[in-house]
């Protein structure tokens, strides 16, 4: 059996105020062509199909068209939900989907696999949607459910118990932040806020292949546990990370091979740095004129109307920052660096308070109150 592992489509996301829908459609068209070319039997999408719990109508249309085209290309499709998705909205049409298309968003049924067959027999596919601890506590009242580790550990014990009874080969989809991989600052913070923590790799023992979602960069945690990353660059921090999907082959004994398939990048991302005059005229930046650009100019004094002037050379300039050589801006530059480096919302608030309170960040009591507030907000958004 041949499986294509993808995740984190984030349909509906904007890039510095510009819609990415046309770009991601281009990439998904290429993915459909790969499914046909490589004779893929099954496509698995490991969460964050949408970027918002209230997706726009156009994103539903693109999702429907893509799922139908994947099916017409010869592949079955199994999708589960991530922390950006509303499980209810993503899963509402699941009973209406045609044969060979499944959407798995119900945590109460995560140990009930979708079973697909090839010449070697059955392959059981388990889909674990993003598990917000506060929202699944009622399902498992007799176990600890404070952290992501708690709930995923219990979910995997249910999966392993079911698999032990069924036997045969298996695939797992999960959307989480696994230990052993780094997030992109400013992009993948929200899954760890409010005390939700990393998940040890050992949690995923059992299945022949584990298709993870959430981290936007390709990552191999072990031969059988991988992130595919997002199919499109959604931040400048991702600009050097390849875009694509994993092609996974199973034989009669289990995992046989995993290879990487590159996807096209509709518009390259570039960070350019120099004096303002250099950014406007230096030939070394010619290659970046048609790219998405994040510009940093190093002049001692701020420039008037820098975005308008830069866009005369770089029409796709998305951000501009004044970063004087030698750090003349002092504390302001340091604060900006701390904000960009924040890995979660707690760190972000801590950096702000340290800035306005002359070095005094969050106290232990303030940190606890903030973590509870963030967890409550996350639970409210997930329940919409």
């Amino acid at each position: 059996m041949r499986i294509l592992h993808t995740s984190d489509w984030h349909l509906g996301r904007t890039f510095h105020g510009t819609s990415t829908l046309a770009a991601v459609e281009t990439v998904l068209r290429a993915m459909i062509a790969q499914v046909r070319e490589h004779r893929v039997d099954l496509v698995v999408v490991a969460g964050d199909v949408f970027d918002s719990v209230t997706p726009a109508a156009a994103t539903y249309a693109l999702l429907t068209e893509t799922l139908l085209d994947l099916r017409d290309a010869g592949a079955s499709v199994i999708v589960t939900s991530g922390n950006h998705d509303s499980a209810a909205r993503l899963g509402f049409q699941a009973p209406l989907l045609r044969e060979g298309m499944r959407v798995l968003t119900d945590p109460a049924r995560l140990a009930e696999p979708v079973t697909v067959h090839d010449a070697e027999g059955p392959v059981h596919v388990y889909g674990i949607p993003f598990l917000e601890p506060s929202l699944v506590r009622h399902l498992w009242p007799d176990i600890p459910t404070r952290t992501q580790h708690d709930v995923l550990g219990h979910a995997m014990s249910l999966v392993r118990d079911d698999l032990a009874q069924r036997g045969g080969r298996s695939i797992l989809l999960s959307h989480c932040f696994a230990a052993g991989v780094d997030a992109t600052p400013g992009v993948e913070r929200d899954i760890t806020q409010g005390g939700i923590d990393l998940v040890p790799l050992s949690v995923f023992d059992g299945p022949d292949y584990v298709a993870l979602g959430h981290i936007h960069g390709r990552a191999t945690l072990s031969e059988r546990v991988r992130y595919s990353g997002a199919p499109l660059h959604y931040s400048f921090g991702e600009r050097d990370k390849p875009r694509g999907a994993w092609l996974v082959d199973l034989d009669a004994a289990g995992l046989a091979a995993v290879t990487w398939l590159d996807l096209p990048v509709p518009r390259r991302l570039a960070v350019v740095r120099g004096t303002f005059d250099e950014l406007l005229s230096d030939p070394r930046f010619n290659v970046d004129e048609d790219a998405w650009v994040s510009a940093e100019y190093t002049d001692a004094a701020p420039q008037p109307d820098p975005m308008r002037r830069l866009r005369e050379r770089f029409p796709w300039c998305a951000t501009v920052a004044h970063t004087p050589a030698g750090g003349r801006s002092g504390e302001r530059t340091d604060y900006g660096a701390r904000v960009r480096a924040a890995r979660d919302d707690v760190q972000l608030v801590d950096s702000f308070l340290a800035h306005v309170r002359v070095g005094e960040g969050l106290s232990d009591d303030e940190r606890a109150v903030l973590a509870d507030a963030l967890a409550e907000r996350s639970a409210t958004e997930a329940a919409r």
Side-chain angles (χ1 to χ4, degrees):
M1 183 171 293
R2 177 161 281 180
I3 300 109
L4 190 77
H5 165 200
T6 177
S7 72
D8 295 273
W9 292 359
H10 286 280
L11 303 182
R13 193 171 190 135
T14 59
F15 184 77
H16 296 278
T18 300
S19 171
T20 63
L21 204 60
V24 75
E25 181 176 9
T26 297
V27 175
L28 292 176
R29 293 288 104 204
M31 183 184 294
I32 293 164
Q34 289 177 342
V35 167
R36 185 175 287 108
E37 175 187 354
H38 294 279
R39 298 182 180 181
V40 171
D41 302 298
L42 173 66
V43 175
V44 295
V45 187
D48 279 357
V49 176
F50 295 120
D51 189 60
S52 167
V53 296
T54 55
T59 63
Y60 280 108
L62 177 56
L63 175 61
T64 300
E65 180 182 359
T66 301
L67 294 179
L68 290 172
D69 287 347
L70 287 170
R71 190 72 184 103
D72 290 341
S76 298
V77 185
I78 299 177
V79 180
T80 192
S81 52
N83 58 304
H84 278 253
D85 298 309
S86 163
R89 285 185 171 88
L90 183 61
F92 87 97
Q93 60 181 346
L96 306 177
L97 294 176
R98 68 194 239 187
E99 184 180 356
M101 300 168 62
R102 296 290 300 274
V103 178
L104 308 178
T105 61
D106 185 355
R109 304 182 65 183
L110 57 80
E112 300 176 19
V114 176
T115 300
V116 291
H117 294 82
D118 64 7
E120 308 296 339
V123 175
H124 308 298
V125 184
Y126 296 88
I128 301 180
F130 173 67
L131 299 176
E132 167 63 53
S134 62
L135 295 182
V136 298
R137 194 163 292 140
H138 69 284
L139 295 176
W140 308 313
D142 298 327
I143 67 160
T145 51
R146 177 174 173 76
T147 68
Q148 191 83 52
H149 184 188
D150 291 336
V151 294
L152 261 176
H154 182 65
M156 281 303 303
S157 70
L158 298 177
V159 167
R160 281 189 287 267
D161 287 347
D162 183 82
L163 184 57
Q165 295 181 31
R166 296 177 189 272
R169 298 164 296 165
S170 61
I171 299 290
L172 177 82
L173 286 67
S174 180
H175 194 90
C176 66
F177 196 170
V181 67
D182 292 327
T184 304
V187 177
E188 297 146 351
R189 299 179 319 200
D190 51 349
I191 205 167
T192 60
Q193 70 188 16
I196 301 175
D197 59 354
L198 298 179
V199 179
L201 187 59
S202 60
V203 164
F204 300 108
D205 289 348
D208 292 292
Y209 183 79
V210 178
L212 296 179
H214 177 59
I215 298 300
H216 284 197
R218 177 184 70 184
T220 300
L221 305 188
S222 75
E223 187 62 22
R224 45 174 288 281
V225 183
R226 299 173 187 251
Y227 284 100
S228 65
L232 194 68
H233 290 116
Y234 287 114
S235 84
F236 285 101
E238 303 172 18
R239 66 188 183 278
D240 296 324
K241 297 178 180 180
R243 304 290 89 170
W246 290 112
L247 190 66
V248 181
D249 286 312
L250 299 184
D251 60 16
L255 184 63
V258 184
T259 54
W260 178 255
L261 298 181
D262 284 308
L263 285 169
V265 177
R267 189 176 302 282
R268 190 174 60 87
L269 278 67
V271 175
V272 298
R273 179 177 171 83
T275 67
F276 204 77
D277 285 343
E278 288 173 338
L279 295 181
L280 292 179
S281 60
D282 196 312
R284 77 178 187 270
F285 298 124
N286 288 350
V287 68
D288 301 315
E289 290 178 352
D290 195 44
W292 283 111
V293 164
S294 176
E296 301 175 358
Y297 67 95
T298 59
D299 305 60
Q303 293 292 311
D305 202 7
M307 179 64 82
R308 179 190 62 79
R309 295 164 65 191
L310 285 168
R311 282 184 173 172
E312 292 177 359
R313 182 178 190 186
F314 306 106
W316 299 97
C317 185
T319 70
V320 57
H322 180 215
T323 56
R328 264 187 66 178
S329 59
E331 173 62 23
R332 180 174 300 177
T333 300
D334 293 343
Y335 174 61
R338 288 200 300 270
V339 168
R340 288 192 295 272
R343 292 297 182 89
D344 56 40
D345 287 351
V346 174
Q347 288 186 16
L348 191 63
V349 174
D350 186 62
S351 296
F352 173 75
L353 290 179
H355 175 65
V356 299
R357 298 198 305 204
V358 196
E360 183 181 353
L362 285 165
S363 68
D364 291 342
D365 289 342
E366 288 170 337
R367 190 178 298 273
V369 170
L370 180 60
D372 288 341
L374 291 171
E376 183 178 350
R377 186 193 69 177
S378 181
T380 300
E381 290 178 351
R384 290 179 181 174

